[in-house]
């Protein structure tokens, strides 16, 4: 699979309202490409919509560990 293809499929699932499947695929994408900020953003967004605040915070914190001081981390922290 192309590194972005899982992300593209997850976005499509999200658009179709398949939230659980999209969440699962975003998580898998981040296992393969942990610095993929777009997937991290979408995952955080869906987790917050599902009131999974602790998991969303963990996803943001992980980016902070991978890229401390990153502008993307600061943006997600404000989400």
């Amino acid at each position: 699979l192309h590194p972005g293809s899982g992300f593209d499929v997850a976005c499509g699932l999200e658009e179709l309202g398949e939230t659980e499947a999209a969440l699962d695929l975003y998580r898998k994408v981040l296992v393969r490409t942990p610095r993929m900020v777009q997937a991290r953003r979408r995952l955080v967004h869906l987790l917050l919509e599902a009131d999974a605040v602790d998991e969303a915070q963990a996803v943001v914190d992980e980016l902070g560990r991978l890229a401390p001081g990153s502008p993307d981390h600061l943006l997600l922290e404000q989400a």
Side-chain angles (χ1 to χ4, degrees):
L1 277 178
H2 178 273
S5 63
F7 175 75
D8 294 337
V9 172
C11 288
L13 289 167
E14 185 179 348
E15 286 181 25
L16 293 171
E18 298 290 336
T19 304
E20 288 302 317
L23 282 167
D24 185 52
L25 196 47
Y26 285 132
R27 289 179 186 113
K28 288 177 181 174
V29 166
L30 289 173
V31 166
R32 288 191 318 260
T33 52
R35 293 178 190 241
M36 186 177 197
V37 175
Q38 303 95 320
R40 201 166 288 278
R41 280 187 189 143
R42 296 307 316 150
L43 179 57
V44 167
H45 173 77
L46 288 179
L47 289 169
L48 290 174
E49 282 187 348
D51 290 324
V53 177
D54 291 341
E55 186 179 352
Q57 186 61 55
V59 172
V60 172
D61 292 346
E62 179 65 14
L63 180 59
R65 284 188 287 281
L66 292 169
S70 144
D72 292 313
H73 174 247
L74 298 175
L75 283 173
L76 282 175
E77 231 177 12
Q78 296 172 5

